[in-house]
Amino acid sequence: MKKIRLALIYGGTSGEHSISRITAGGILRALDPQRYDVVSIGIRPDGTWVPGEVDPAAMTMDSGLGEVPESDRRIVLPPGDGSQPLLELSADGTDARVLGPIDVAFPVLHGPFGEDGTIQGLFEMANVPYVGCGVLASAAGMDKDMMKKVLVSAGLPVGPYVGVTARQWRTERDQVLAAVAELEFPVYVKPARAGSSLGISRVERIDDVAAAVDEAQRHDPKVVIEQGIAGREIEVAVLGGGADGPARASLPGEVLLEAPTAGFYDFESKYVDTDGLTMSIPAQISPETTDAVRELAVRAFDAFECEGLTRVDFFVRESGEVLINEINTMPGFTPFSMYPTMWEATGIPYAELIDELVRLALDRPRGLR
């Protein structure tokens, strides 16, 4: 059987560069060499595409939160009908090597300029099948303000929040703070288009909101300020159905922190200081709540017209009320991340999950759909 030529693309220009690299290491280790011919492509923090690493042992959490190494070679994916080859060029453009076409791209990029519809648009222009959501779902899902607007328009439940653009913060700060004062404290101030809990602050008083916005704007000029919700944080992984089949929801999971130093599940507790962190899968919630979050997760997937994969995060209040916190169209995908771990508990092991995502990418139509 002809091998599938897969471009594994990782790194990127966002603050989640190192996590993307670790994700790529996990996928590279799991890909069956009898089935896949892998072309590894790293995106440097400056946006340069370079030949990627081929040893998954060099891309693990144990090896540290490193970055894509420098190279004097460049990788180029030109537009075309899908049959055009990848090119490898010298940095000065004087030497070129044809790498041949690829069958499918697997971008494991998190954050802006990777998860937000930008690289998805490049693949669409190149007519190259790719794993994951399309341009619209990726862009709307990445922006927490637009995300909530889509969820509300679809009749899905979200908590109170205030969205703040850079212009509004410069010219309408008093009005923004007045709107925030209407929320119940504590509030969470977040970059609108960052992930992995980067730049998030928990704020107890209105007087501290401005400093928290300044911190969030170090990662993104646009900010969302969300009312804190007292409840358990439950997650559900969603996988596309393929063809005209319905999307599938995993068993729900819950991240449990014994003593979170920052008061919430932040970047440090996710990736660095993970002592006291456990994942409960399936989450210990009632059958009725389990059914509710799984149904809402699929409805959210459909509301954004997602493809491939999405993780939907919920708050479940003591009353039983369920609110959608956010969706993530390229969730963490190391072998130990919640998305693949939830599918493992639901009956799809990591390597099989990768195969299924590649199949979904290859099977869906190109162009408008």
Side-chain angles (χ1 to χ4, degrees):
M1 185 175 70
K2 179 180 178 291
K3 289 185 180 181
I4 296 170
R5 197 146 195 261
L6 181 147
L8 181 64
I9 305 173
Y10 67 94
T13 61
S14 81
E16 298 174 84
H17 176 101
S18 298
I19 301 306
S20 170
R21 181 171 171 267
I22 291 167
T23 298
I27 292 173
L28 190 58
R29 184 178 293 105
L31 288 169
D32 181 356
Q34 301 300 314
R35 182 170 185 179
Y36 297 99
D37 176 17
V38 180
V39 180
S40 179
I41 301 173
I43 300 180
R44 296 268 302 146
D46 65 359
T48 305
W49 288 39
V50 300
E53 296 160 277
V54 296
D55 180 8
M59 296 186 285
T60 66
M61 186 64 75
D62 291 340
S63 64
L65 293 174
E67 64 179 39
V68 174
E70 293 182 2
S71 173
D72 61 359
R73 307 295 292 178
R74 303 289 183 262
I75 301 295
V76 176
L77 172 61
D81 63 3
S83 65
Q84 70 277 20
L86 280 173
L87 303 175
E88 181 183 308
L89 310 176
S90 59
D92 62 7
T94 59
D95 176 62
R97 185 162 73 95
V98 177
L99 299 181
I102 57 174
D103 297 314
V104 63
F106 197 152
V108 288
L109 299 160
H110 305 299
F113 307 107
E115 190 182 344
D116 60 354
T118 49
I119 198 167
Q120 290 77 14
L122 173 64
F123 297 139
E124 294 283 354
M125 293 293 291
N127 278 293
V128 170
Y130 57 97
V131 170
C133 292
V135 174
L136 175 63
S138 298
M142 187 74 223
D143 185 319
K144 295 179 178 64
D145 181 35
M146 296 305 298
M147 173 199 304
K148 293 176 189 293
K149 289 175 180 176
V150 172
L151 292 170
V152 170
S153 71
L156 297 169
V158 301
Y161 81 103
V162 174
V164 188
T165 65
R167 184 196 63 78
Q168 287 174 320
W169 188 241
R170 290 192 302 268
T171 64
E172 304 172 17
R173 184 171 300 200
D174 289 345
Q175 296 95 311
V176 169
L177 291 173
V180 174
E182 297 295 317
L183 302 176
E184 295 179 10
F185 281 71
V187 298
Y188 290 86
V189 181
K190 303 179 178 181
R193 295 163 292 194
S196 290
S197 300
L198 291 167
I200 296 180
S201 300
R202 184 178 190 269
V203 179
E204 301 280 355
R205 305 181 309 136
I206 189 68
D207 293 345
D208 297 328
V209 168
V213 170
D214 291 341
E215 170 61 23
Q217 286 185 327
R218 291 179 55 238
H219 300 272
D220 187 350
K222 188 176 184 182
V223 173
V224 292
I225 302 169
E226 299 174 348
Q227 179 173 301
I229 304 295
R232 296 168 66 181
E233 297 187 35
I234 304 298
E235 303 178 5
V236 176
V238 186
L239 185 62
D244 292 328
R248 298 158 280 178
S250 73
L251 293 171
E254 181 177 17
V255 175
L256 302 173
L257 292 174
E258 292 179 6
T261 55
F264 61 97
Y265 187 33
D266 63 353
F267 183 90
E268 288 289 313
S269 55
K270 281 182 178 180
Y271 301 116
V272 181
D273 183 12
T274 57
D275 291 342
L277 183 154
T278 59
M279 294 187 291
S280 175
I281 305 172
Q284 299 304 298
I285 53 179
S286 70
E288 293 78 14
T289 302
T290 296
D291 291 343
V293 294
R294 295 181 79 181
E295 177 190 355
L296 286 170
V298 170
R299 287 178 60 192
F301 185 94
D302 291 341
F304 285 83
E305 300 180 7
C306 291
E307 297 167 291
L309 73 166
T310 292
R311 194 191 70 230
V312 185
D313 301 343
F314 298 90
F315 293 117
V316 177
R317 293 180 133 161
E318 189 173 345
S319 65
E321 180 186 18
V322 176
L323 300 173
I324 298 178
N325 179 26
E326 62 183 48
I327 71 166
N328 191 317
T329 57
M330 182 48 72
F333 207 89
T334 72
F336 310 106
S337 298
M338 280 293 281
Y339 184 90
T341 305
M342 285 188 285
W343 276 117
E344 182 96 34
T346 310
I348 305 180
Y350 188 68
E352 291 182 19
L353 181 60
I354 293 171
D355 290 341
E356 176 66 0
L357 287 168
V358 172
R359 182 190 70 80
L360 290 171
L362 290 170
D363 285 351
R364 77 187 186 204
R366 304 185 199 185
L368 295 177
R369 51 190 180 273

